[in-house]
Amino acid sequence: MKTLPSLLLLSLAACASPLVANDSDAPHPAPGFAIVIHGGAGSPSRSMSAAERAAIVGGLEHALTLGRDALESGAGALEVVELVIRSLEDDPNFNSGRGAVYTAEERHELDASIMDGATLACGAVGGVTTVRHPITLARLVMTETRHVLFVAEGAEAFADTQPVERVDNSWFDTEPNRAYLHRVLEERRSAGLLDVTPAERSALDARAMARLAEEDAPASTFGTVGCAVLDGSGHLAAGTSTGGLTAKSFGRIGDSPIVGAGTYANDATCAVSATGVGEEFIRHGIARDISARMDYLGLDLDRAAAETMALLDEGVGGVVCVDHAGNITMNYNTTGMLRAAADAGGRFEVRIWEEVEDLD
Amino acid sequence: MKTLPSLLLLSLAACASPLVANDSDAPHPAPGFAIVIHGGAGSPSRSMSAAERAAIVGGLEHALTLGRDALESGAGALEVVELVIRSLEDDPNFNSGRGAVYTAEERHELDASIMDGATLACGAVGGVTTVRHPITLARLVMTETRHVLFVAEGAEAFADTQPVERVDNSWFDTEPNRAYLHRVLEERRSAGLLDVTPAERSALDARAMARLAEEDAPASTFGTVGCAVLDGSGHLAAGTSTGGLTAKSFGRIGDSPIVGAGTYANDATCAVSATGVGEEFIRHGIARDISARMDYLGLDLDRAAAETMALLDEGVGGVVCVDHAGNITMNYNTTGMLRAAADAGGRFEVRIWEEVEDLD
């Protein structure tokens, strides 16, 4: 149905706005496997230090290598998603696991979800505080219970029955994230946000956040990590893990643990992990909508992702996706998205902005 | 695009299975308004007492009257959804608010969500324990914060800042629900479910639940209440409120507070509220999928709801829906669904099974 010229026109259209990026060129189905990772979408500062940039690129490269090697060894999509996200959860440079940002109460609440495209089985946890690898707990919700989502103390109680590593909440403390929390709280205080109604606070807060976004927030505060995989057997899986928003109200749940919003996988269409302002991803059911546009409109992955992302305002976030044929799409409407992709055809790349990063 | 004969064939096809019900006949757009309500899908016992049946029918009739009268007076869709669900939350015969079932710990945890089809604004709460009307708290999340979902203690803390009525958790105690909890727990004990792994427990539990479903569970334990409305200005809204599953693990969140799964509204397509085994509604993104099939496949509401519900196994639950033209669809794959519908054309009916109930 789709001709090459129309795809080229689509690519040109996507390039028209500097804030709409869509990394893939023509479709390049990769027989074997494909893997795509994100480490959050936002406004990474072009003036970040070489050390910070190297740490981010190194973390993505390490996770991508783990995933690619496992896929080359025949690992299944679900295993690889968990493996890759555990690696990113242990890296303090990303806002998940170890690097989770701080809530307004100066604590950490973590969310994660995972989905198996072969069976549509899925599991998720929200607001966990003592689990080192929330993605593993999410997978156990999927495999060990008939439920999909456990939150807060209920998720902790479930963890008590499972073989997952527990840590004190202070294990997630990191100085850059703490310093950033204090800047956000100071911004709120100076804007008088403590003496206004919740609605006024929300509006002011959004403005304060926008101002802060202009400054040099640590890249680790952007979002979320996620991974979408096609394995050598043709199965898809996706997962997402996050520490949420800096200075969020406690008990706030974003899209990361919401199947269909932050995570979705279906062998018939695609696997998707999202990052950004979670509320917008829930409202529009972003991850599932990309699959629905492939399924019901017959769109290819690039086009489906572009149309779904067009539902969002600029600056809201991004998605990484892989389809059943091994095509990879990374689409974001922020100025950058930490991301990486590899496939059986030898593709292996890490990007923050448009350009491919140099790897060692 | 669609001819009357094809619609008739569709209706006949829908009637072929006794477990697939689709109440609407030919489309009958109602200029003005339309409202549809559910009080849970399940296996209501044909041998329920006349008093129990009268209480259920009376509760639905009362809520429907409130909603219809408000719509006739020009109320907006969102106001009506909240009004109707508050009425059902106060009725101990439905599993929401006052009649919320018991968790395994013999307490009550309530979930709710609401969505405005005009703006796609939405709000939800999960695991609240002291809020008399969770639907009202969900609406306040929507209007007073930039977030969509608050859970557990975080939702309680948000409630502390809002003008919502608070009650002790024991306010949700009702004797029929407590007796049913004890039967479920006894069934679990006799099946030896206390000495097995979570996975084994899940499997055994599903079987125990299936056995219990054959018996006379109070109708109040079925599910959930919900409402979908088209108002006289052409705006759609939907909401859902529940006490969850009897004997659920604490912290388990079903589909009711998940926008896109249990609740969805979009003025361009339809408004939907779901009830049933929440995990299946999350996995398939049921409420949003009905809208997507209308939008992307050009299906009418009946057909879209039927195709979406076909994703689910029999016995899983049901949906009530209204579209932008005032068509109403009530589709379930259980043996019954407590439900009611009215429109500006004079339709006013309450049903449990196929037949319309006698009203006073």
Side-chain angles (χ1 to χ4, degrees):
Chain A
M1 300 290 276
K2 190 154 303 301
T3 61
L4 194 58
S6 77
L7 279 167
L8 288 173
L9 280 172
L10 187 70
S11 297
L12 289 169
C15 292
S17 160
L19 284 179
V20 176
N22 214 331
D23 285 339
S24 63
D25 313 307
H28 44 82
F33 65 80
I35 175 171
V36 62
I37 295 172
H38 70 78
S43 307
S45 170
R46 281 276 181 187
S47 60
M48 74 168 73
S49 70
E52 189 177 3
R53 187 162 175 171
I56 289 168
V57 171
L60 290 169
E61 183 184 1
H62 176 67
L64 188 65
T65 303
L66 277 178
R68 186 217 31 205
D69 291 354
L71 286 163
E72 281 181 345
S73 303
L78 211 55
E79 275 67 35
V80 173
V81 165
E82 184 184 359
L83 178 75
V84 164
I85 293 181
R86 283 175 65 100
S87 163
L88 294 165
E89 285 176 339
D90 277 344
D91 188 330
N93 293 296
F94 300 97
N95 176 18
S96 71
R98 179 81 176 86
V101 298
Y102 287 81
T103 66
E105 290 77 19
E106 206 154 339
R107 286 180 44 87
H108 309 276
E109 294 184 355
L110 292 77
D111 307 330
S113 65
I114 193 166
M115 187 162 187
D116 180 356
T119 61
L120 303 187
C122 47
V125 292
V128 300
T129 56
T130 68
V131 176
R132 178 171 172 176
H133 296 113
I135 193 68
T136 296
L137 190 63
R139 190 174 176 191
L140 289 164
V141 170
M142 178 179 91
T143 57
E144 302 300 310
T145 82
R146 61 194 171 104
H147 299 308
V148 162
L149 175 58
F150 281 101
V151 298
E153 287 178 65
E156 295 289 321
F158 173 65
D160 291 344
T161 72
Q162 299 297 315
V164 290
E165 186 175 346
R166 308 298 281 277
V167 293
D168 189 82
N169 195 251
S170 64
W171 192 83
F172 304 108
D173 289 349
T174 56
E175 279 318 306
N177 288 348
R178 193 195 301 269
Y180 185 65
L181 171 73
H182 291 164
R183 280 170 54 203
V184 170
L185 293 178
E186 180 51 38
E187 186 79 19
R188 283 191 184 168
R189 261 187 295 273
S190 65
L193 294 186
L194 303 180
D195 306 315
V196 298
T197 68
E200 291 166 334
R201 182 160 61 239
S202 260
L204 290 166
D205 211 26
R207 264 174 274 150
M209 292 297 103
R211 270 197 303 279
L212 278 168
E214 303 297 313
E215 303 177 32
D216 299 329
S220 61
T221 62
F222 289 161
T224 294
V225 306
C227 180
V229 169
L230 171 73
D231 68 23
S233 305
H235 294 308
L236 292 166
T240 309
S241 181
T242 191
L245 298 174
T246 291
K248 69 182 175 187
S249 307
F250 88 100
R252 173 264 184 185
I253 300 280
D255 64 316
S256 299
I258 306 297
V259 167
T263 300
Y264 187 73
N266 186 331
D267 277 4
T269 52
C270 60
V272 179
S273 172
T275 171
V277 181
E279 282 73 10
E280 297 303 312
F281 286 79
I282 294 175
R283 192 184 324 289
H284 296 284
I286 293 294
R288 173 74 197 279
D289 189 57
I290 295 172
S291 168
R293 285 174 195 265
M294 290 184 71
D295 195 5
Y296 305 151
L297 295 174
L299 301 183
D300 63 35
L301 178 66
D302 260 14
R303 178 90 185 272
E307 289 194 1
T308 294
M309 288 296 290
L311 298 173
L312 302 177
D313 291 339
E314 283 190 2
V316 164
V319 290
V320 298
C321 326
V322 56
D323 73 10
H324 52 84
N327 295 298
I328 290 171
T329 290
M330 301 173 270
N331 189 308
Y332 55 96
N333 58 29
T334 46
T335 57
M337 178 165 71
L338 318 183
R339 61 202 190 279
D343 66 24
R347 179 180 186 175
F348 189 96
E349 65 184 41
V350 175
R351 302 193 204 200
I352 297 176
W353 299 280
E354 283 295 307
E355 70 272 20
V356 174
E357 298 289 313
D358 289 330
L359 301 178
D360 297 330
Chain B
M1 300 288 276
K2 192 154 299 305
T3 60
L4 193 59
S6 76
L7 279 166
L8 287 173
L9 279 172
L10 187 71
S11 298
L12 289 169
C15 292
S17 160
L19 284 179
V20 176
N22 213 332
D23 286 338
S24 64
D25 312 309
H28 43 83
F33 65 81
I35 175 171
V36 62
I37 294 172
H38 70 78
S43 307
S45 170
R46 281 277 180 187
S47 60
M48 73 168 74
S49 71
E52 189 176 3
R53 187 164 176 170
I56 290 168
V57 172
L60 290 168
E61 183 183 3
H62 176 67
L64 188 65
T65 303
L66 278 178
R68 187 220 27 209
D69 291 355
L71 286 162
E72 281 181 344
S73 304
L78 211 54
E79 276 65 36
V80 173
V81 165
E82 184 184 359
L83 179 75
V84 164
I85 292 182
R86 284 175 64 100
S87 162
L88 294 165
E89 284 176 339
D90 278 344
D91 188 329
N93 293 296
F94 300 96
N95 176 18
S96 72
R98 179 80 176 89
V101 298
Y102 287 82
T103 67
E105 290 76 20
E106 206 154 341
R107 286 178 47 85
H108 309 276
E109 295 184 356
L110 292 77
D111 308 330
S113 65
I114 193 166
M115 187 162 187
D116 179 357
T119 61
L120 303 187
C122 47
V125 292
V128 300
T129 56
T130 68
V131 175
R132 178 171 172 177
H133 295 113
I135 194 69
T136 295
L137 190 62
R139 190 175 177 190
L140 289 164
V141 170
M142 177 178 92
T143 57
E144 302 300 311
T145 83
R146 61 194 170 105
H147 299 307
V148 164
L149 174 58
F150 281 101
V151 298
E153 286 176 65
E156 295 289 320
F158 172 66
D160 291 344
T161 71
Q162 299 298 315
V164 290
E165 185 175 345
R166 307 297 281 276
V167 293
D168 188 83
N169 195 252
S170 64
W171 191 82
F172 304 108
D173 289 348
T174 57
E175 279 318 306
N177 288 349
R178 192 194 302 270
Y180 186 65
L181 170 73
H182 291 164
R183 280 169 54 204
V184 170
L185 294 179
E186 180 52 37
E187 188 78 20
R188 283 191 184 168
R189 262 187 295 272
S190 66
L193 294 185
L194 303 181
D195 306 314
V196 297
T197 69
E200 290 167 333
R201 183 159 61 239
S202 259
L204 290 165
D205 211 25
R207 264 173 273 150
M209 291 298 104
R211 269 197 304 278
L212 278 168
E214 303 297 314
E215 302 179 32
D216 299 328
S220 60
T221 62
F222 289 161
T224 294
V225 307
C227 180
V229 168
L230 171 73
D231 68 23
S233 304
H235 294 307
L236 292 165
T240 309
S241 181
T242 190
L245 298 174
T246 291
K248 70 183 175 186
S249 307
F250 87 102
R252 174 263 184 186
I253 300 280
D255 65 315
S256 299
I258 307 298
V259 166
T263 299
Y264 187 74
N266 186 330
D267 277 4
T269 52
C270 60
V272 180
S273 172
T275 170
V277 181
E279 282 73 10
E280 297 303 312
F281 286 80
I282 294 175
R283 192 184 324 288
H284 296 284
I286 292 295
R288 174 74 196 278
D289 189 58
I290 295 172
S291 169
R293 285 174 194 264
M294 292 183 70
D295 196 4
Y296 306 151
L297 296 174
L299 301 184
D300 63 34
L301 179 66
D302 260 13
R303 178 90 185 273
E307 288 194 1
T308 295
M309 288 296 290
L311 297 173
L312 303 177
D313 291 339
E314 283 190 1
V316 164
V319 290
V320 298
C321 326
V322 57
D323 73 11
H324 52 84
N327 295 298
I328 289 172
T329 290
M330 300 173 271
N331 188 309
Y332 55 97
N333 58 28
T334 46
T335 57
M337 178 166 70
L338 318 183
R339 61 202 190 278
D343 66 25
R347 180 180 185 175
F348 189 97
E349 65 184 40
V350 175
R351 301 193 204 198
I352 298 176
W353 299 280
E354 282 296 304
E355 70 273 21
V356 174
E357 299 289 313
D358 288 329
L359 302 178
D360 297 331

